[in-house]
Amino acid sequence: MVRILFVCHGNICRSPMAEFVMKDLVEKAGVASHFHIESAATSREEIGNPVYPPARAKLAEHGIGCSGHAARQLTRADYDKYDLLIGMDCANLRNMQRICGGDPEGKISLLMDHSNRPGDVADPWYTGDFESTWRDVLEGCRGMLTELTDDLC
């Protein structure tokens, strides 16, 4: 079982988009039983809140639901619980390492590091561009799935 935790600032836009996109991809690939996928925030600002409506609408456009999501904060214990902790931008990585007490096992990476275009996933909370975020999240998740299913075989 591969345990993945996607992380962004508030856990209402990018990380839940990645969580539900990845769940959809593993389901369609017939490997969902090999994965446990969740998401979390580095901040406390949105704890308990659902997916932000424009992010929810973008997922729904592609037939992906996200009901039942409630934002939560990353904890130090998550480092031991998950195999991969995937941040959306460099600020997330810094905060993830601070919360987790470093990254001694090399579990923390950026989502786009799993694509052909390493870098940050722009925060649509600030950009308003949920389409670009969708494309980046999809590309990063597809890259991760390829890497991880190659390892399963």
Side-chain angles (χ1 to χ4, degrees), residues 25-34:
L25 291 173
V26 300
E27 183 68 36
K28 288 176 177 169
V31 293
S33 64
H34 296 281

Side-chain angles (χ1 to χ4, degrees), residues 4 6 11 14-24 37-40 64 69 88 137 141:
I4 304 169
F6 292 103
N11 193 217
R14 295 173 294 171
S15 61
M17 285 177 79
E19 172 189 350
F20 291 103
V21 165
M22 192 68 167
K23 284 178 175 177
D24 184 64
I37 303 162
E38 293 185 25
S39 62
I64 300 172
H69 175 80
M88 300 296 130
V137 165
C141 287

Side-chain angles (χ1 to χ4, degrees), residues 89-135:
D89 63 37
C90 291
N92 298 153
L93 289 189
R94 284 190 300 276
N95 288 326
M96 291 163 69
Q97 289 183 0
R98 179 184 49 76
I99 292 166
C100 294
D103 184 18
E105 297 177 43
K107 296 179 176 187
I108 296 175
S109 65
L110 285 173
L111 177 61
M112 295 307 289
D113 287 348
H114 302 275
S115 76
N116 293 325
R117 294 183 305 107
D120 292 349
V121 175
D123 191 340
W125 178 266
Y126 300 105
T127 68
D129 187 355
F130 285 84
E131 180 61 30
S132 290
T133 299
W134 162 261
R135 286 192 305 265

